[in-house]
Amino acid sequence: MNRKTLVLPAVVGLLAPLLAACGTQQGGAAGGNAIVVGTTDQFTATEDAPAPFDPAYAYDTGIWNVLRQTVQTLVRVPRGGGRPVPDAASECQFTDRVSESYRCTLRDGLTFSDGTPVTAQDVKFSIERVLAIKSDNGAAGLLSNIDTIEVKGYREIVFHLKTPDATFPYKLATPVAGIVSSDKYEADKLREGFQVDGSGPYTMKANVSDGHVTSVVFTKNGRYKGGVKLRNDQVELRSFADAGAMAGALDAGDIDLMTRTMEPEQIRELHARPKEGIKLTEMPGLEIRYLAFNTRHPSVKDKAVRQAMASVIDRSKIAGDVYGSTATPLYSLIPSSIATHTNSFFDKYGEPSRKKAAAILDDAGIDTPVKLTLHYTTDHYGSATAKEFAALRDQLNASGLFDVTVKGSEWSTFRPAQKRGEYAVYGLGWFPDFPDPDNFTAPFLDADNFLNTPYVSEEARTRLIPASRREADRTSAAPAFEKLQRIVAEDVPVLPLWQGKQYVASRDTLTGVEWALNTSSDLQLWELGRGTA
């Protein structure tokens, strides 16, 4: 989720890395051991989320990065971005001119990792299972436009959609559409625990301690048939409590690469004082951060309160002071590097202004200071989140218009409480499911949305989102997306703050690093190898 101030939108395809690494050896086995990747993502089973790795429940970048290695989808987004290409399927295409009927044919001889054949009926079972369970985590919303699923023989499957949707192939490329077996997954119940079975590039084994996953070992699936070429035989994804511990493991040679989430200070330090044997790689990214509102809560029910916050918050100062060169201010839900982006919030509110915010509140008859608590997660996006929310608190309180406190919670507590509507104002990040403006608008505004928000814009849901999806040429959808961005700036159900860049640090003997993360922050562990770049 990226944001820049008053810049022209760039074509997403231009974000792809230009050069691939060439290794003298291929595969972790060539070095005699697994490639080890560090992450600060935490994987925990709780009473609220007992099945974190089930494709019918999972809707989190870190967990999706486990599923992408193990659960195969009909199509996948290629390494450098662009339109989805076949993976479990040998071919997929719309069979009509209005993008309402999508047909796929499975690869011949496709099997799950245990050797059981994968059939079109398994695909139907997997998708219908997601829709039947309809977890409150929000992922099922990606598939909610499916009307019926038709199976023809063992290999052919046809999706009939309720309304035209040119983005449907991208949705089929996400883990929520992962193919699972009815032998391992129940049709109407989530699979609790940490085991994942599929037909993807790797099999997996989770190492668990006290209910937390300490690491996941991915081993090459010899039965995999798909479009991915594996450059290693085994990768271990190791979870660390914080970025400092992860950096220490890289320095000690215990891991080969550290990814989500490096701290801004670490990135600045590696830029200024490179370490021998370690390289820092910057990658294009589409991460955004934002405040969201429970628009039924009395403290923010009047949109004038939300508009006043949009008027007074200084995004540039937050991005610069807290995140430095790793973030830029964002004035729309759609990042500046996605075509159809507009600076809708800047257009409406301009530069930060206490005077303008005060006038908005006064005109609405709202007494000041408005008392609010801003909630954030302490362990999901890195320790800089606490600094960011302290800065937000200080800015709002300095205006004299607000009386703000902040409260942090672990993700395992924060996310269930947020979905239940317990927070009036809360901070979240968004890593897109696919790089299209639809995925920066519909998950926040459509029915069955990720936020479980009470906010409804009938114009957005019934007219603009469906209109944007009818356009196979995505640039033709620009007028609909421009209106959607204006609606968000006017009603402020969410308040965009900044967009970020992606960085990873690695041992210089590791190849394929520049392909290890795509613009949507999807881990592509199969790209990693050992050798000389």
Side-chain angles (χ1 to χ4, degrees):
M1 306 128 193
N2 307 330
R3 40 242 167 265
K4 294 182 182 176
T5 309
L6 303 177
V7 296
L8 293 175
V11 177
V12 172
L14 299 179
L15 292 172
L18 299 178
L19 298 174
C22 299
T24 58
Q25 303 177 30
Q26 285 191 358
N33 61 328
I35 293 171
V36 184
V37 175
T39 180
T40 59
D41 287 320
Q42 305 296 307
F43 310 118
T44 308
T46 66
E47 184 177 347
D48 288 308
F53 285 173
D54 191 317
Y57 175 83
Y59 203 15
D60 172 83
T61 298
I63 293 175
W64 269 19
N65 281 337
V66 172
L67 294 180
R68 287 183 190 278
Q69 322 306 315
T70 51
V71 178
Q72 196 174 14
T73 48
L74 288 168
V75 293
R76 64 180 181 86
V77 176
R79 55 148 50 171
R83 294 178 182 273
V85 297
D87 193 35
S90 59
E91 62 176 349
C92 287
Q93 60 185 350
F94 281 107
T95 58
D96 60 352
R97 295 183 178 180
V98 294
S99 303
E100 278 188 324
S101 181
Y102 193 71
R103 181 176 62 200
C104 292
T105 303
L106 290 176
R107 292 180 186 267
D108 190 24
L110 193 70
T111 70
F112 291 107
S113 60
D114 64 2
T116 305
V118 176
T119 68
Q121 187 61 45
D122 291 307
V123 179
K124 186 175 190 290
F125 166 80
S126 302
I127 302 295
E128 290 182 341
R129 175 177 181 269
V130 171
L131 295 172
I133 292 173
K134 197 178 180 182
S135 162
D136 67 356
N137 217 24
L142 289 169
L143 304 176
S144 61
N145 194 33
I146 295 173
D147 186 17
T148 59
I149 303 174
E150 180 182 4
V151 168
K152 298 182 178 181
Y154 290 104
R155 294 177 55 203
E156 188 173 327
I157 186 162
V158 183
F159 299 93
H160 300 286
L161 307 182
K162 299 172 186 175
T163 58
D165 186 1
T167 72
F168 184 66
Y170 288 97
K171 295 168 184 175
L172 282 184
T174 64
V176 70
I179 305 168
V180 299
S181 169
S182 58
D183 292 337
K184 304 287 178 66
Y185 294 79
E186 296 184 46
D188 57 357
K189 182 181 178 182
L190 291 172
R191 183 180 183 181
E192 297 185 5
F194 301 107
Q195 185 56 40
V196 181
D197 292 282
S199 56
Y202 297 96
T203 59
M204 63 85 76
K205 178 184 177 183
N207 297 309
V208 182
S209 176
D210 297 327
H212 289 70
V213 173
T214 56
S215 69
V216 181
V217 177
F218 299 102
T219 302
K220 183 177 180 179
N221 175 13
R223 291 190 170 97
Y224 169 71
K225 288 187 176 182
V228 165
K229 179 181 179 181
L230 278 71
R231 290 167 170 78
N232 58 68
D233 289 336
Q234 194 171 79
V235 181
E236 178 186 351
L237 183 65
R238 192 175 298 174
S239 181
F240 290 88
D242 53 56
M246 182 169 61
L250 182 68
D251 291 341
D254 294 333
I255 65 174
D256 299 292
L257 180 146
M258 65 177 191
T259 176
R260 289 176 25 102
T261 302
M262 294 181 63
E263 299 292 354
E265 293 82 1
Q266 293 174 322
I267 295 165
R268 284 194 288 263
E269 180 69 18
L270 284 173
H271 265 307
R273 285 174 283 278
K275 295 182 179 180
E276 184 176 356
I278 294 176
K279 67 176 181 179
L280 181 68
T281 303
E282 178 185 333
M283 303 170 179
L286 296 173
E287 172 192 7
I288 68 169
R289 298 286 178 87
Y290 57 93
L291 292 177
F293 302 90
N294 176 357
T295 54
R296 285 194 185 132
H297 194 282
S299 62
V300 294
K301 184 175 182 179
D302 194 316
K303 71 178 181 181
V305 174
R306 309 191 300 266
Q307 290 176 330
M309 293 175 70
S311 294
V312 81
I313 289 174
D314 189 336
R315 297 166 177 79
S316 295
K317 189 166 180 58
I318 289 171
D321 290 354
V322 178
Y323 295 98
S325 62
T326 67
T328 51
L330 180 64
Y331 295 91
S332 169
L333 271 178
I334 300 175
S336 62
S337 43
I338 294 281
T340 74
H341 162 87
T342 67
N343 286 293
S344 55
F345 274 80
F346 190 90
D347 294 343
K348 181 168 180 62
Y349 302 103
E351 296 290 349
S353 169
R354 183 203 178 279
K355 181 178 179 180
K356 187 177 296 184
I360 291 172
L361 294 170
D362 186 58
D363 289 346
I366 293 173
D367 294 332
T368 59
V370 178
K371 192 169 185 177
L372 298 172
T373 299
L374 308 187
H375 292 265
Y376 69 95
T377 173
T378 57
D379 61 344
H380 201 62
Y381 304 118
S383 63
T385 308
K387 300 176 185 176
E388 175 185 347
F389 273 74
L392 284 167
R393 176 198 62 205
D394 293 347
Q395 284 189 14
L396 290 166
N397 287 346
S399 72
L401 303 172
F402 296 92
D403 178 7
V404 172
T405 58
V406 297
K407 184 176 181 180
S409 307
E410 292 185 353
W411 181 253
S412 58
T413 300
F414 173 90
R415 176 64 169 142
Q418 175 266 308
K419 288 189 293 183
R420 290 192 295 263
E422 294 179 10
Y423 303 150
V425 191
Y426 53 91
L428 280 172
W430 181 251
F431 300 82
D433 308 319
F434 50 91
D436 185 276
D438 176 83
N439 198 239
F440 291 93
T441 49
F444 305 94
L445 303 175
D446 210 354
D448 302 322
N449 60 76
F450 165 72
L451 296 176
N452 197 26
T453 177
Y455 170 78
V456 176
S457 165
E458 290 295 342
E459 183 180 13
R461 289 190 182 183
T462 63
R463 192 171 71 83
L464 295 175
I465 291 174
S468 72
R469 289 172 174 169
R470 283 195 291 269
E471 302 295 344
D473 177 2
R474 302 308 288 151
T475 58
S476 299
F481 286 117
E482 288 170 6
K483 290 179 182 177
L484 284 167
Q485 289 169 93
R486 286 200 297 269
I487 287 172
V488 173
E490 170 63 31
D491 292 348
V492 200
V494 292
L495 175 53
L497 296 172
W498 56 265
Q499 70 181 66
K501 301 175 184 177
Q502 293 188 117
Y503 291 87
V504 299
S506 62
R507 311 300 303 183
D508 59 9
T509 55
L510 204 63
T511 63
V513 172
E514 50 268 81
W515 298 110
L517 283 175
N518 66 14
T519 58
S520 298
S521 299
D522 303 334
L523 262 181
Q524 302 175 135
L525 296 178
W526 51 82
E527 297 286 356
L528 298 174
R530 297 190 190 277
T532 303

